[in-house]
Amino acid sequence: MTRGGRGVEGTETGWDRPAEPAPRWRALLERARLGGRTGEQPELGRGGRARSRPIEQPPGGGYLETQPPSGGYLETRPPGGGYLETRPPGGGYLETQPIGYPAELGYAAEPTYAPEPGYAPDPGHTTEPGYGAVPGYGVEPGYAVPAYEPAAGRPTAYAPSPGYGSSHGAGYPPTAYGSAEAAHPARIEWRETRPDAAADRAAAVLRGDLGVPRVLAFANPKGGVHKTTATVLAAATVGSVRGRGVLAWDDNELRGTLGLRAGSARHARTIRHLIADLIEIEASHGFELTDRLDDYLRHASDGSYDVLAGEENPRFAQQLDRHTVRRVLELLRRTHDVICVDTGNNVESANWQTVLQAADQLVVTTVPREDAAFSADWMLDLLHEVGMGELADNAVTLLSCPTPGPSPLLDDFTKHFATRTRAVAVVPYDPALETGSSIEYVQLQPETRQAWLQAASVMLEPFAR
């Protein structure tokens, strides 16, 4: 073909640019189609065609791209369309990179690449020698586990030790001595230190059902014979066992001290304030009554009993007539199970006589001294004279020891009052009571608390069910 008088061989480039010789142009196409990877020129065969040579990859891997002289990228595709990919014998992808470009790291064929279905692996590939099953994992079918052979002298079956019951493991054979349970029965023994049986019985009496609320009157016309102390400690002892429903009332018309020695002084209200509001409180019922009455009571530090304090003004004694005292006792019976009353010293007063007439149990308090014992003996005679002999005969005499040493008259008085009253209880000296200050039951010596436990149970024993 000629143009402008010049012959053109091969493909015309146009734009007045000389055409490249055909053999050179076809060589570039062949090299791109075959995916050559080196900068060497392919060997030309007949007709200028490139001769196939072994394929090599740059040292760093990556892509080899071939550009035509006119710029841009030259892509070579097989006759059927798509892309022509050449793979090395070991599997994976073979990628080319243009000449002069440094290979990018990380584009090497991945070692864990799974071949496509139908791809035949290298026949010479074998697993690494020495690889075995991991201990604890299930072995593959066909893997032979060697049979266990026990060492010489060891038993081939588990035998429980003597005394180990067969119920602890199903299938364990018995020992040579027969059944393990029969030879050594397995049992657990709990050995608890038992308290004194007398203390158990005393606590059971205090804890029992008393039928109806009970009034305990602590009386002796002589002062200084532990009436207030006995009233407080009896209420504290019963309350420590029952837990609730116990009250100590200071019915002393001559400025008693029970409210000062027992209970927390959370307020200054006394029997005088209660009587002033008695009509309104009597009209209350249930929990409302308990809440209303609680405003006039004081409480022990441990909450085991309540306290109704006496009035400090001696002129108030004129208001404690028989009718008023009966109303107060009836109100207290509606809220408490045990009411301990300190009766004072005046046997001629209306409040003293009314409390003894309403009492379920008389407690004659005294100390091992002749004057105190004489006053107690005289009071018992007086009760017989006024028609209250049954109350005197069923009374309990409480002998309180005021000193740590033994009294030479203690045994004599114990025998004497045992003939005049139902029972005699003796409580020992305790240093916590010597100062005459606040009485705290928990501060008493253990032997003192045990003595008061026995004494209180004797007082309530006739009523316990």
Side-chain angles (χ1 to χ4, degrees):
M1 176 179 182
T2 60
R3 177 177 290 185
R6 282 189 308 171
V8 180
E9 182 180 359
T11 304
E12 181 181 0
T13 61
W15 302 94
D16 295 333
R17 290 166 56 185
E20 194 171 344
R24 175 62 175 175
W25 182 242
R26 284 195 297 270
L28 291 176
L29 291 179
E30 290 292 335
R31 186 175 63 181
R33 184 176 62 85
L34 298 177
R37 296 191 177 268
T38 63
E40 300 178 358
Q41 296 294 335
E43 298 180 4
L44 299 180
R46 292 184 179 180
R49 296 182 179 273
R51 182 178 299 173
S52 299
R53 298 186 62 183
I55 299 175
E56 299 179 1
Q57 191 176 7
Y63 290 96
L64 180 62
E65 299 175 349
T66 306
Q67 283 184 312
S70 58
Y73 287 96
L74 180 63
E75 297 180 353
T76 303
R77 299 187 181 181
Y83 288 95
L84 180 64
E85 299 177 351
T86 306
R87 298 180 183 176
Y93 286 97
L94 182 63
E95 299 167 347
T96 59
Q97 193 174 13
I99 301 173
Y101 283 77
E104 298 181 7
L105 299 178
Y107 280 88
E110 299 180 1
T112 57
Y113 173 78
E116 298 180 359
Y119 181 83
D122 189 356
H125 178 74
T126 58
T127 57
E128 298 180 5
Y131 179 83
V134 180
Y137 286 85
V139 296
E140 300 178 359
Y143 181 82
V145 180
Y148 171 75
E149 296 182 3
R154 291 189 178 182
T156 57
Y158 172 77
S161 58
Y164 191 81
S166 60
S167 59
H168 295 278
Y172 290 156
T175 61
Y177 302 99
S179 174
E181 293 181 349
H184 301 281
R187 65 181 183 273
I188 298 177
E189 295 183 0
W190 179 267
R191 297 183 179 179
E192 182 181 2
T193 303
R194 292 180 53 82
D196 184 41
D200 283 347
R201 290 193 297 269
V205 170
L206 301 183
R207 196 179 297 112
D209 181 16
L210 302 178
V212 296
R214 303 296 177 176
V215 177
L216 277 59
F218 294 78
N220 189 329
K222 177 77 170 66
V225 291
H226 290 194
K227 283 194 304 291
T228 300
T229 302
T231 305
V232 172
L233 288 181
T237 303
V238 178
S240 66
V241 177
R242 298 184 68 90
R244 54 180 293 276
V246 182
L247 180 137
W249 175 20
D250 188 0
D251 189 33
N252 194 330
E253 76 284 355
L254 296 177
R255 197 175 184 179
T257 60
L258 189 148
L260 301 177
R261 302 191 64 188
S264 58
R266 59 192 184 108
H267 55 71
R269 287 185 281 274
T270 64
I271 181 64
R272 176 172 63 88
H273 302 87
L274 176 62
I275 292 176
D277 301 332
L278 190 58
I279 297 178
E280 298 179 3
I281 299 174
E282 287 175 331
S284 303
H285 300 277
F287 291 109
E288 181 183 359
L289 172 61
T290 304
D291 292 341
R292 291 292 305 274
L293 181 61
D294 187 69
D295 295 337
Y296 303 88
L297 303 179
R298 305 176 187 182
H299 304 292
S301 58
D302 58 355
S304 59
Y305 66 98
D306 302 324
V307 175
L308 178 58
E311 177 58 36
E312 297 181 0
N313 188 352
R315 290 193 297 261
F316 173 73
Q318 300 176 0
Q319 302 182 27
L320 290 176
D321 54 34
R322 295 178 183 273
H323 179 64
T324 302
V325 173
R326 289 195 189 100
R327 290 173 60 189
V328 172
L329 285 174
E330 187 61 30
L331 177 66
L332 297 178
R333 281 193 178 105
R334 294 170 60 185
T335 57
H336 293 78
D337 298 326
V338 179
I339 302 155
C340 302
V341 185
D342 181 358
T343 58
N345 303 328
N346 188 3
V347 297
E348 298 295 333
S349 64
N351 62 313
W352 191 93
Q353 296 176 1
T354 305
V355 169
L356 262 69
Q357 291 173 356
D360 298 287
Q361 177 65 63
L362 171 63
V363 181
V364 181
T365 62
T366 186
V367 293
R369 289 199 314 259
E370 289 186 0
D371 57 346
F374 175 80
S375 177
D377 210 14
W378 172 82
M379 182 188 68
L380 293 174
D381 292 338
L382 177 64
L383 293 176
H384 280 277
E385 293 176 2
V386 298
M388 301 177 66
E390 184 178 358
L391 181 66
D393 292 339
N394 292 325
V396 175
T397 302
L398 183 67
L399 279 166
S400 301
C401 299
T403 59
S407 173
L409 299 177
L410 182 61
D411 291 339
D412 293 340
F413 289 150
T414 301
K415 295 177 182 178
H416 170 73
F417 284 104
T419 62
R420 303 217 55 186
T421 58
R422 175 174 62 87
V424 178
V426 179
V427 291
Y429 162 85
D430 196 288
L433 305 175
E434 189 174 6
T435 60
S437 59
S438 178
I439 301 174
E440 296 292 341
Y441 179 75
V442 295
Q443 295 180 359
L444 300 179
Q445 300 294 325
E447 55 272 16
T448 305
R449 292 198 297 267
Q450 287 295 323
W452 274 103
L453 182 65
Q454 297 294 332
S457 67
V458 172
M459 299 174 193
L460 293 177
E461 187 176 9
F463 317 109
R465 299 181 179 179

